[in-house]
PDB file of all heavy atoms in Angstrom:
ATOM      1  N   ALA A   1       0.829  -1.203  -0.007  1.00  0.00           N
ATOM      2  CA  ALA A   1      -0.015   0.002  -0.003  1.00  0.00           C
ATOM      3  C   ALA A   1       0.859   1.265   0.002  1.00  0.00           C
ATOM      4  O   ALA A   1       0.608   2.223  -0.708  1.00  0.00           O
ATOM      5  CB  ALA A   1      -0.930   0.000   1.216  1.00  0.00           C
ATOM      6  N   LYS A   2       1.936   1.195   0.796  1.00  0.00           N
ATOM      7  CA  LYS A   2       2.846   2.323   0.896  1.00  0.00           C
ATOM      8  C   LYS A   2       3.501   2.622  -0.437  1.00  0.00           C
ATOM      9  O   LYS A   2       3.563   3.756  -0.910  1.00  0.00           O
ATOM     10  CB  LYS A   2       3.941   1.975   1.920  1.00  0.00           C
ATOM     11  CG  LYS A   2       4.228   3.043   2.955  1.00  0.00           C
ATOM     12  CD  LYS A   2       5.377   2.639   3.839  1.00  0.00           C
ATOM     13  CE  LYS A   2       4.980   1.631   4.880  1.00  0.00           C
ATOM     14  NZ  LYS A   2       6.068   1.319   5.812  1.00  0.00           N
ATOM     15  N   THR A   3       3.955   1.527  -1.070  1.00  0.00           N
ATOM     16  CA  THR A   3       4.619   1.683  -2.377  1.00  0.00           C
ATOM     17  C   THR A   3       3.654   2.299  -3.395  1.00  0.00           C
ATOM     18  O   THR A   3       4.017   3.228  -4.113  1.00  0.00           O
ATOM     19  CB  THR A   3       5.103   0.320  -2.884  1.00  0.00           C
ATOM     20  OG1 THR A   3       5.961  -0.255  -1.901  1.00  0.00           O
ATOM     21  CG2 THR A   3       5.835   0.461  -4.209  1.00  0.00           C
ATOM     22  N   ASN A   4       2.425   1.819  -3.388  1.00  0.00           N
ATOM     23  CA  ASN A   4       1.419   2.336  -4.339  1.00  0.00           C
ATOM     24  C   ASN A   4       1.098   3.789  -4.068  1.00  0.00           C
ATOM     25  O   ASN A   4       1.000   4.620  -4.971  1.00  0.00           O
ATOM     26  CB  ASN A   4       0.126   1.515  -4.264  1.00  0.00           C
ATOM     27  CG  ASN A   4       0.333   0.113  -4.791  1.00  0.00           C
ATOM     28  OD1 ASN A   4       1.235  -0.138  -5.576  1.00  0.00           O
ATOM     29  ND2 ASN A   4      -0.506  -0.818  -4.350  1.00  0.00           N
ATOM     30  N   MET A   5       0.940   4.136  -2.777  1.00  0.00           N
ATOM     31  CA  MET A   5       0.478   5.477  -2.451  1.00  0.00           C
ATOM     32  C   MET A   5       1.568   6.530  -2.509  1.00  0.00           C
ATOM     33  O   MET A   5       1.340   7.663  -2.887  1.00  0.00           O
ATOM     34  CB  MET A   5      -0.132   5.480  -1.036  1.00  0.00           C
ATOM     35  CG  MET A   5      -1.440   4.745  -0.948  1.00  0.00           C
ATOM     36  SD  MET A   5      -2.037   4.711   0.746  1.00  0.00           S
ATOM     37  CE  MET A   5      -3.588   3.819   0.518  1.00  0.00           C
ATOM     38  N   LEU A   6       2.777   6.143  -2.138  1.00  0.00           N
ATOM     39  CA  LEU A   6       3.841   7.154  -1.994  1.00  0.00           C
ATOM     40  C   LEU A   6       4.730   7.290  -3.228  1.00  0.00           C
ATOM     41  O   LEU A   6       5.583   8.154  -3.255  1.00  0.00           O
ATOM     42  CB  LEU A   6       4.720   6.824  -0.767  1.00  0.00           C
ATOM     43  CG  LEU A   6       3.980   6.792   0.575  1.00  0.00           C
ATOM     44  CD1 LEU A   6       4.960   6.517   1.704  1.00  0.00           C
ATOM     45  CD2 LEU A   6       3.252   8.105   0.836  1.00  0.00           C
ATOM     46  N   THR A   7       4.528   6.438  -4.217  1.00  0.00           N
ATOM     47  CA  THR A   7       5.382   6.548  -5.396  1.00  0.00           C
ATOM     48  C   THR A   7       4.612   7.043  -6.610  1.00  0.00           C
ATOM     49  O   THR A   7       5.181   7.121  -7.712  1.00  0.00           O
ATOM     50  CB  THR A   7       6.041   5.195  -5.743  1.00  0.00           C
ATOM     51  OG1 THR A   7       5.006   4.220  -5.940  1.00  0.00           O
ATOM     52  CG2 THR A   7       6.950   4.743  -4.635  1.00  0.00           C
ATOM     53  N   LYS A   8       3.335   7.407  -6.429  1.00  0.00           N
ATOM     54  CA  LYS A   8       2.615   7.984  -7.557  1.00  0.00           C
ATOM     55  C   LYS A   8       3.245   9.319  -7.958  1.00  0.00           C
ATOM     56  O   LYS A   8       3.616  10.111  -7.092  1.00  0.00           O
ATOM     57  CB  LYS A   8       1.145   8.230  -7.165  1.00  0.00           C
ATOM     58  CG  LYS A   8       0.361   6.927  -7.043  1.00  0.00           C
ATOM     59  CD  LYS A   8      -1.067   7.202  -6.604  1.00  0.00           C
ATOM     60  CE  LYS A   8      -1.825   5.902  -6.406  1.00  0.00           C
ATOM     61  NZ  LYS A   8      -3.179   6.140  -5.882  1.00  0.00           N
ATOM     62  N   GLN A   9       3.346   9.573  -9.234  1.00  0.00           N
ATOM     63  CA  GLN A   9       4.057  10.748  -9.726  1.00  0.00           C
ATOM     64  C   GLN A   9       3.484  12.048  -9.158  1.00  0.00           C
ATOM     65  O   GLN A   9       4.217  12.963  -8.847  1.00  0.00           O
ATOM     66  CB  GLN A   9       4.005  10.787 -11.257  1.00  0.00           C
ATOM     67  CG  GLN A   9       4.889  11.879 -11.905  1.00  0.00           C
ATOM     68  CD  GLN A   9       6.346  11.698 -11.542  1.00  0.00           C
ATOM     69  OE1 GLN A   9       6.823  10.592 -11.434  1.00  0.00           O
ATOM     70  NE2 GLN A   9       7.047  12.803 -11.330  1.00  0.00           N
ATOM     71  N   LYS A  10       2.147  12.103  -9.036  1.00  0.00           N
ATOM     72  CA  LYS A  10       1.570  13.363  -8.602  1.00  0.00           C
ATOM     73  C   LYS A  10       1.931  13.726  -7.157  1.00  0.00           C
ATOM     74  O   LYS A  10       1.773  14.864  -6.727  1.00  0.00           O
ATOM     75  CB  LYS A  10       0.052  13.354  -8.757  1.00  0.00           C
ATOM     76  CG  LYS A  10      -0.687  12.388  -7.831  1.00  0.00           C
ATOM     77  CD  LYS A  10      -2.185  12.537  -8.010  1.00  0.00           C
ATOM     78  CE  LYS A  10      -2.946  11.615  -7.079  1.00  0.00           C
ATOM     79  NZ  LYS A  10      -4.394  11.827  -7.165  1.00  0.00           N
ATOM     80  N   PHE A  11       2.443  12.747  -6.395  1.00  0.00           N
ATOM     81  CA  PHE A  11       2.872  13.063  -5.047  1.00  0.00           C
ATOM     82  C   PHE A  11       4.382  13.087  -4.904  1.00  0.00           C
ATOM     83  O   PHE A  11       4.892  13.067  -3.800  1.00  0.00           O
ATOM     84  CB  PHE A  11       2.268  12.056  -4.045  1.00  0.00           C
ATOM     85  CG  PHE A  11       0.793  12.193  -3.870  1.00  0.00           C
ATOM     86  CD1 PHE A  11      -0.036  11.169  -4.309  1.00  0.00           C
ATOM     87  CD2 PHE A  11       0.247  13.338  -3.346  1.00  0.00           C
ATOM     88  CE1 PHE A  11      -1.392  11.277  -4.164  1.00  0.00           C
ATOM     89  CE2 PHE A  11      -1.101  13.448  -3.206  1.00  0.00           C
ATOM     90  CZ  PHE A  11      -1.944  12.432  -3.613  1.00  0.00           C
ATOM     91  N   SER A  12       5.105  13.105  -6.008  1.00  0.00           N
ATOM     92  CA  SER A  12       6.564  13.158  -5.907  1.00  0.00           C
ATOM     93  C   SER A  12       6.983  14.506  -5.367  1.00  0.00           C
ATOM     94  O   SER A  12       6.224  15.489  -5.422  1.00  0.00           O
ATOM     95  CB  SER A  12       7.202  12.894  -7.263  1.00  0.00           C
ATOM     96  OG  SER A  12       6.945  13.978  -8.133  1.00  0.00           O
ATOM     97  N   PHE A  13       8.191  14.571  -4.864  1.00  0.00           N
ATOM     98  CA  PHE A  13       8.629  15.723  -4.061  1.00  0.00           C
ATOM     99  C   PHE A  13       8.550  17.053  -4.815  1.00  0.00           C
ATOM    100  O   PHE A  13       7.888  17.983  -4.427  1.00  0.00           O
ATOM    101  CB  PHE A  13      10.069  15.447  -3.611  1.00  0.00           C
ATOM    102  CG  PHE A  13      10.687  16.576  -2.843  1.00  0.00           C
ATOM    103  CD1 PHE A  13      10.105  17.041  -1.678  1.00  0.00           C
ATOM    104  CD2 PHE A  13      11.841  17.179  -3.295  1.00  0.00           C
ATOM    105  CE1 PHE A  13      10.653  18.078  -0.973  1.00  0.00           C
ATOM    106  CE2 PHE A  13      12.401  18.209  -2.588  1.00  0.00           C
ATOM    107  CZ  PHE A  13      11.818  18.672  -1.412  1.00  0.00           C
ATOM    108  N   ASP A  14       9.213  17.126  -5.979  1.00  0.00           N
ATOM    109  CA  ASP A  14       9.308  18.420  -6.655  1.00  0.00           C
ATOM    110  C   ASP A  14       8.091  18.771  -7.468  1.00  0.00           C
ATOM    111  O   ASP A  14       7.906  19.910  -7.825  1.00  0.00           O
ATOM    112  CB  ASP A  14      10.564  18.463  -7.526  1.00  0.00           C
ATOM    113  CG  ASP A  14      11.827  18.583  -6.667  1.00  0.00           C
ATOM    114  OD1 ASP A  14      11.815  19.414  -5.755  1.00  0.00           O
ATOM    115  OD2 ASP A  14      12.798  17.849  -6.913  1.00  0.00           O
ATOM    116  N   SER A  15       7.265  17.761  -7.806  1.00  0.00           N
ATOM    117  CA  SER A  15       6.125  18.074  -8.657  1.00  0.00           C
ATOM    118  C   SER A  15       4.853  18.384  -7.860  1.00  0.00           C
ATOM    119  O   SER A  15       3.817  18.623  -8.429  1.00  0.00           O
ATOM    120  CB  SER A  15       5.836  16.866  -9.581  1.00  0.00           C
ATOM    121  OG  SER A  15       5.422  15.765  -8.806  1.00  0.00           O
ATOM    122  N   ASN A  16       4.963  18.377  -6.513  1.00  0.00           N
ATOM    123  CA  ASN A  16       3.783  18.665  -5.696  1.00  0.00           C
ATOM    124  C   ASN A  16       3.422  20.142  -5.779  1.00  0.00           C
ATOM    125  O   ASN A  16       4.196  21.003  -5.394  1.00  0.00           O
ATOM    126  CB  ASN A  16       4.078  18.273  -4.238  1.00  0.00           C
ATOM    127  CG  ASN A  16       2.939  18.657  -3.335  1.00  0.00           C
ATOM    128  OD1 ASN A  16       1.854  18.939  -3.774  1.00  0.00           O
ATOM    129  ND2 ASN A  16       3.198  18.643  -2.042  1.00  0.00           N
ATOM    130  N   GLY A  17       2.246  20.418  -6.345  1.00  0.00           N
ATOM    131  CA  GLY A  17       1.873  21.828  -6.574  1.00  0.00           C
ATOM    132  C   GLY A  17       1.716  22.615  -5.313  1.00  0.00           C
ATOM    133  O   GLY A  17       1.843  23.847  -5.332  1.00  0.00           O
ATOM    134  N   LYS A  18       1.439  21.978  -4.174  1.00  0.00           N
ATOM    135  CA  LYS A  18       1.253  22.745  -2.933  1.00  0.00           C
ATOM    136  C   LYS A  18       2.556  23.266  -2.374  1.00  0.00           C
ATOM    137  O   LYS A  18       2.607  24.324  -1.771  1.00  0.00           O
ATOM    138  CB  LYS A  18       0.611  21.846  -1.873  1.00  0.00           C
ATOM    139  CG  LYS A  18      -0.823  21.420  -2.165  1.00  0.00           C
ATOM    140  CD  LYS A  18      -1.365  20.590  -1.023  1.00  0.00           C
ATOM    141  CE  LYS A  18      -2.785  20.192  -1.290  1.00  0.00           C
ATOM    142  NZ  LYS A  18      -3.327  19.419  -0.153  1.00  0.00           N
ATOM    143  N   LEU A  19       3.613  22.530  -2.541  1.00  0.00           N
ATOM    144  CA  LEU A  19       4.897  22.904  -1.916  1.00  0.00           C
ATOM    145  C   LEU A  19       5.617  23.966  -2.705  1.00  0.00           C
ATOM    146  O   LEU A  19       5.915  23.786  -3.887  1.00  0.00           O
ATOM    147  CB  LEU A  19       5.810  21.656  -1.813  1.00  0.00           C
ATOM    148  CG  LEU A  19       7.185  21.898  -1.234  1.00  0.00           C
ATOM    149  CD1 LEU A  19       7.130  22.251   0.239  1.00  0.00           C
ATOM    150  CD2 LEU A  19       8.090  20.673  -1.437  1.00  0.00           C
ATOM    151  N   ALA A  20       5.901  25.074  -2.055  1.00  0.00           N
ATOM    152  CA  ALA A  20       6.799  26.083  -2.635  1.00  0.00           C
ATOM    153  C   ALA A  20       8.173  25.807  -2.051  1.00  0.00           C
ATOM    154  O   ALA A  20       8.472  26.217  -0.935  1.00  0.00           O
ATOM    155  CB  ALA A  20       6.326  27.480  -2.305  1.00  0.00           C
ATOM    156  N   ASN A  21       8.993  25.060  -2.809  1.00  0.00           N
ATOM    157  CA  ASN A  21      10.244  24.594  -2.250  1.00  0.00           C
ATOM    158  C   ASN A  21      11.291  25.702  -2.244  1.00  0.00           C
ATOM    159  O   ASN A  21      11.168  26.719  -2.921  1.00  0.00           O
ATOM    160  CB  ASN A  21      10.747  23.391  -3.063  1.00  0.00           C
ATOM    161  CG  ASN A  21      11.720  22.542  -2.236  1.00  0.00           C
ATOM    162  OD1 ASN A  21      11.853  22.739  -1.030  1.00  0.00           O
ATOM    163  ND2 ASN A  21      12.396  21.611  -2.888  1.00  0.00           N
ATOM    164  N   CYS A  22      12.360  25.505  -1.469  1.00  0.00           N
ATOM    165  CA  CYS A  22      13.470  26.455  -1.465  1.00  0.00           C
ATOM    166  C   CYS A  22      14.512  26.025  -2.508  1.00  0.00           C
ATOM    167  O   CYS A  22      14.501  24.883  -2.964  1.00  0.00           O
ATOM    168  CB  CYS A  22      14.070  26.557  -0.070  1.00  0.00           C
ATOM    169  SG  CYS A  22      14.548  24.991   0.669  1.00  0.00           S
ATOM    170  N   GLU A  23      15.412  26.940  -2.818  1.00  0.00           N
ATOM    171  CA  GLU A  23      16.389  26.662  -3.872  1.00  0.00           C
ATOM    172  C   GLU A  23      17.553  25.809  -3.362  1.00  0.00           C
ATOM    173  O   GLU A  23      18.069  24.978  -4.082  1.00  0.00           O
ATOM    174  CB  GLU A  23      16.896  27.983  -4.449  1.00  0.00           C
ATOM    175  CG  GLU A  23      15.830  28.791  -5.171  1.00  0.00           C
ATOM    176  CD  GLU A  23      16.271  30.197  -5.540  1.00  0.00           C
ATOM    177  OE1 GLU A  23      17.519  30.427  -5.587  1.00  0.00           O
ATOM    178  OE2 GLU A  23      15.410  31.046  -5.773  1.00  0.00           O
ATOM    179  N   SER A  24      17.943  26.030  -2.134  1.00  0.00           N
ATOM    180  CA  SER A  24      19.080  25.307  -1.575  1.00  0.00           C
ATOM    181  C   SER A  24      18.732  23.821  -1.366  1.00  0.00           C
ATOM    182  O   SER A  24      17.581  23.505  -1.050  1.00  0.00           O
ATOM    183  CB  SER A  24      19.519  25.923  -0.245  1.00  0.00           C
ATOM    184  OG  SER A  24      20.498  25.102   0.373  1.00  0.00           O
TER     185      SER A  24
END
């Protein structure tokens, strides 16, 4: 379940639309 839920592309780290990430 973890693998299915946490590896979907839409929830990947840099592509998450909610997160305004920092540059460093």
Side-chain angles (χ1 to χ4, degrees):
K2 227 184 283 185
T3 303
N4 291 337
M5 289 177 180
L6 300 182
T7 58
K8 288 178 183 176
Q9 188 60 35
K10 66 176 182 175
F11 291 114
S12 68
F13 177 59
D14 287 315
S15 66
N16 175 15
K18 292 182 179 182
L19 177 70
N21 202 12
C22 52
E23 294 170 21
S24 172

